[in-house]
Amino acid sequence: MPLLVSSIFLSLFVLLHAAATAVSAFSLSSFPSLLPSTYTIHEVPIDQSSQDNKQSTSIGERIKNGESIIQIEDIVTPDECKYIIEDVLRHDAEPTTLEKPGLVRLPTRAAAERASAANIPCAAPLSADVDNLLHVILKRTASVMTEQIPSISEVLFDGESVCRLLDTERLKFSSREPAINIYTPGGEFLAHKDAQAITVLIPLSCPEQFQGGGTSFWSQDSRGHRVEDPTIILKPSAGTAMLFGGCVTHAGVSVEEGTRVVFVASFSCATEVSPVIMEHRDIYGDSL
């Protein structure tokens, strides 16, 4: 009789484990690497006066000069946003000494390894499932940049395909990136410049899920964030990518209520002079 009971329990355990594994696998396999053949793209000017030269310059040039922000709608699906948010909030991660109260940065596994090698304080990395999904999302975004906005590759990456650079691990990322930033009440990211070729910033939370928040930007002719209010504050819908240049001063606006979750990846083409693994500090001395 005890042997029979043990056998039943073992069978139940095997079935439950198999079911859980199948659910996890189904969740990830339901997220395709590419969705539509083309995505809706909007250009948001940071400085309206710079639009006078719009006809004579490419999008890549306007990104490089800090004149525009490019928005790609629905680069992350609602199901993907929900999956990532539920996973990262479930782990209740602790902030490091680099974060202000109300902000936690969770790096991808590769970003955590780079930070550890450089002795940079770093939160526990993301789960393997979310890590894999973020790579799919970044690859998806790189595909849109390469195929729909070719001037990004031409101007910002010396003519190299962003997809190819990502696939061959020839991109250098800002410290502890790619990453998920989690903002809770009082959480903000101080004004800074990423000093990379381009930044991909994707809010995963709907604007209705928090108060305050958003990303503020300053135009190139601004006297600076310590003197002037931001030129523009954006709170796009969940899953909309924002692309902007490394010379743009920007900040994560303080969240008043709720939780705001964003995916961020700032990167350039890696060269012999500028290797992939490096700590980056912005022009204001804030460690990123």
Side-chain angles (χ1 to χ4, degrees):
M1 188 66 172
L3 182 60
L4 178 60
V5 172
S6 298
S7 177
I8 291 173
F9 274 114
L10 180 60
S11 298
L12 285 173
F13 174 79
V14 171
L15 287 172
L16 289 172
H17 179 73
T21 302
V23 168
S24 176
F26 173 79
S27 298
L28 286 177
S29 64
S30 64
F31 301 143
S33 59
L34 290 171
L35 297 173
S37 57
T38 59
Y39 286 81
T40 301
I41 296 172
H42 301 285
E43 182 171 1
V44 180
I46 303 176
D47 186 351
Q48 290 292 341
S49 63
S50 67
Q51 298 306 293
D52 296 338
N53 300 322
K54 187 172 180 179
Q55 299 302 321
S56 60
T57 58
S58 67
I59 289 179
E61 289 171 318
R62 293 193 291 278
I63 292 175
K64 181 179 180 179
N65 296 332
E67 299 171 357
S68 295
I69 300 157
I70 303 303
Q71 292 187 337
I72 307 173
E73 290 186 3
D74 302 321
I75 199 72
V76 184
T77 69
D79 285 343
E80 289 170 335
C81 289
K82 180 181 178 182
Y83 183 89
I84 295 168
I85 290 173
E86 288 180 351
D87 187 89
V88 299
L89 295 184
R90 188 183 306 124
H91 290 85
D92 194 25
E94 293 293 327
T96 71
T97 56
L98 296 179
E99 278 92 41
K100 309 294 183 184
L103 170 62
V104 177
R105 167 167 285 197
L106 304 180
T108 60
R109 299 193 163 206
E113 290 178 5
R114 292 193 295 268
S116 177
N119 294 317
I120 301 171
C122 192
L126 296 158
S127 70
D129 283 350
V130 168
D131 189 280
N132 291 334
L133 180 54
L134 291 182
H135 183 76
V136 169
I137 291 168
L138 189 56
K139 178 65 179 291
R140 187 186 302 157
T141 307
S143 295
V144 175
M145 293 163 63
T146 299
E147 296 168 12
Q148 289 190 241
I149 321 174
S151 62
I152 288 180
S153 293
E154 294 165 5
V155 175
L156 300 173
F157 295 93
D158 297 325
E160 288 259 27
S161 160
V162 182
C163 278
R164 189 177 301 112
L165 291 170
L166 179 63
D167 287 342
T168 55
E169 299 183 352
R170 288 186 291 140
L171 291 176
K172 63 169 185 176
F173 292 89
S174 289
S175 178
R176 301 183 296 153
E177 292 184 15
I180 294 289
N181 286 350
I182 304 173
Y183 296 86
T184 51
E188 62 180 341
F189 209 122
L190 299 180
H192 62 285
K193 296 183 180 183
D194 291 332
Q196 300 282 13
I198 200 166
T199 293
V200 176
L201 183 64
I202 309 176
L204 304 175
S205 303
C206 298
E208 297 79 16
Q209 295 175 326
F210 57 88
Q211 293 185 17
T215 307
S216 54
F217 298 89
W218 282 260
S219 65
Q220 294 302 296
D221 60 1
S222 168
R223 291 178 295 164
H225 71 284
R226 295 186 177 93
V227 179
E228 295 185 4
D229 290 335
T231 307
I232 188 173
I233 298 176
L234 297 180
K235 294 174 69 172
S237 58
T240 296
M242 293 185 286
L243 314 180
F244 52 91
C247 66
V248 176
T249 300
H250 61 286
V253 179
S254 178
V255 168
E256 298 170 6
E257 291 184 17
T259 300
R260 178 176 181 245
V261 180
V262 304
F263 172 49
V264 59
S266 308
F267 53 89
S268 301
C269 180
T271 65
E272 293 182 3
V273 176
S274 183
V276 174
I277 304 173
M278 289 292 288
E279 178 184 6
H280 169 68
R281 291 181 181 272
D282 66 46
I283 64 170
Y284 302 122
D286 301 321
S287 185
L288 299 182

